[in-house]
Amino acid sequence: MAHHIAHNPGREIIAEDVIDGTLTAQDLADWMLSQTGVPIAYSSADPDVVRAVQDKFGTHRASSAIEAFMADVAGRLTAGGVTRLITAGGETSGAVVEGLDLHTLEIGPEIDPGVPVLRASPNLAVALKSGNFGAVDFFEKAAQQLGQP
């Protein structure tokens, strides 16, 4: 992520802001749609920060809130005309697939070992990456590959 953010807009998602409604899915979708390049929104945090949020709200509530939020954002992005989505994190990727109600994914070219381009529809290509796959420049390669028909 750090490599990607050095060259593209990035916005950290604070779990507490999502849970208390300070940040809405529409707010984030609007921000992402207004950016140039390949914007990234991320919820990775220092383990102590994650633990504090989990202690305050409960582990399940904290993680499910972020996953549901990211799925909602993905839906708003596609409704806003986005045709390429890159999702990192296994649970988040699953939530996005469910949130977008994707039933069939056509496997395309490999972005990095273990991570292919997935064609969800004629107007939507996705990359679903778990945390332990992909090179340092994965997001740039994914954006380039997803742009191909």
Side-chain angles (χ1 to χ4, degrees):
M1 270 187 323
H3 175 78
H4 186 75
I5 292 169
H7 308 285
N8 292 276
R11 184 165 177 183
E12 182 177 11
I13 307 309
I14 307 298
E16 190 164 356
D17 293 346
V18 170
I19 294 168
D20 70 15
T22 303
L23 178 64
T24 68
Q26 190 63 57
D27 293 337
L28 182 58
D30 289 345
W31 178 82
M32 293 186 83
L33 290 167
S34 72
Q35 302 304 305
T36 58
V38 180
I40 187 171
Y42 59 96
S43 63
S44 294
D46 179 87
D48 292 335
V49 173
V50 172
R51 193 170 10 269
V53 170
Q54 290 173 342
D55 289 346
K56 182 174 182 177
F57 297 103
T59 302
H60 177 71
R61 183 174 179 205
S63 62
S64 63
I66 291 294
E67 291 158 14
F69 179 79
M70 292 301 203
D72 191 4
V73 170
R76 292 170 189 274
L77 290 172
T78 58
V82 167
T83 60
R84 306 177 299 163
L85 285 175
I86 304 165
T87 304
E91 296 297 325
T92 302
S93 293
V96 167
V97 167
E98 286 182 19
L100 293 175
D101 198 29
L102 304 180
H103 296 282
T104 304
L105 297 170
E106 179 183 316
I107 298 173
E110 189 174 64
I111 299 164
D112 266 343
V115 187
V117 169
L118 299 169
R119 176 69 52 192
S121 72
N123 298 320
L124 181 61
V126 298
L128 307 170
K129 179 187 110 45
S130 72
N132 58 352
F133 285 89
V136 68
D137 61 346
F138 171 80
F139 293 106
E140 287 84 1
K141 291 189 293 188
Q144 183 178 44
Q145 287 274 4
L146 291 174
Q148 297 177 358

